[in-house]
Amino acid sequence: MRVGSLSSMDISAGALSAYRRQMDTIAENLANAQTTMTATGEPYRRKDVVFRVDEINQAVGDVIAPQALKGLRQTRAGHLQPMAAPASGRSEKLASVLVDSITDDPTPFVEVFDPSHPDAYENGIVKYPNVDTAVEMVNLVLATRAYEANLASLAAMRQIYESALQMGRTA
């Protein structure tokens, strides 16, 4: 069994990877927002990241294994006791967000009348990608904030580990 803090790091690391992939996909969408002709002969089609949830550990009540606590010095009553199962009696799982796939957005292309454009059809209509730059920028900000939150979580876990090691050295 794993100790709970290692699971926290796994969760944050998985989320960091997923949100980085989302930011890369958004950057690709923004870079191709005006690409009217690709190798397939049609405009660039917006890509979307599909996330999935991956279970990391046992039930929350089983996160800290009792054998992991053996040999540690108890300084007060209740200190270093295994975590209790959820009060509701249900088994909650720890999970991380991961990228399941990257899919093409099926929304229709934007059609603009511009007969002077080199990629215009006979009727003067040009099909532009289904990329809305405002939506992409909002998604980019959200993905960036999620990435930063998981980075802060990893930094906090590192500080907790360092503090625990320092306490162990002085004890």
Side-chain angles (χ1 to χ4, degrees):
M1 247 185 230
R2 304 165 98 175
V3 177
S5 56
L6 293 178
S7 296
S8 300
M9 292 188 82
D10 290 341
I11 290 169
S12 289
L16 279 173
S17 176
Y19 287 117
R20 177 62 194 190
R21 185 80 183 268
Q22 184 181 29
M23 288 186 289
D24 290 343
T25 302
I26 292 169
E28 179 185 336
N29 289 340
L30 288 170
N32 289 292
Q34 297 297 316
T35 304
T36 57
M37 190 68 64
T38 62
T40 63
E42 58 178 18
Y44 174 81
R45 187 163 291 279
R46 178 183 179 272
K47 307 278 189 269
D48 202 13
V49 176
V50 177
F51 293 113
R52 80 178 187 314
V53 175
D54 233 14
E55 292 181 359
I56 295 292
N57 216 327
Q58 300 295 322
V60 172
D62 298 333
V63 171
I64 297 179
Q67 62 268 26
L69 302 174
K70 289 182 181 171
L72 297 177
R73 192 171 45 135
Q74 186 173 12
T75 56
R76 62 174 184 242
H79 187 209
L80 297 177
Q81 295 302 316
M83 294 173 63
S88 64
R90 63 188 164 92
S91 178
E92 295 183 23
K93 303 283 184 182
L94 296 177
S96 180
V97 62
L98 299 172
V99 173
D100 187 45
S101 63
I102 296 180
T103 61
D104 289 339
D105 184 354
T107 58
F109 296 120
V110 177
E111 295 182 354
V112 176
F113 180 74
D114 184 3
S116 64
H117 194 283
D119 293 330
Y121 292 96
E122 301 82 39
N123 58 3
I125 299 292
V126 179
K127 289 185 178 181
Y128 282 93
N130 56 349
V131 176
D132 183 346
T133 55
V135 170
E136 295 299 321
M137 290 305 294
V138 169
N139 288 341
L140 184 59
V141 168
L142 292 173
T144 301
R145 297 293 180 249
Y147 185 89
E148 289 170 351
N150 281 288
L151 201 56
S153 174
L154 278 175
M157 287 305 303
R158 179 176 176 233
Q159 187 166 358
I160 288 169
Y161 286 146
E162 287 175 355
S163 295
L165 287 172
Q166 189 61 31
M167 287 189 306
R169 289 183 188 125
T170 60

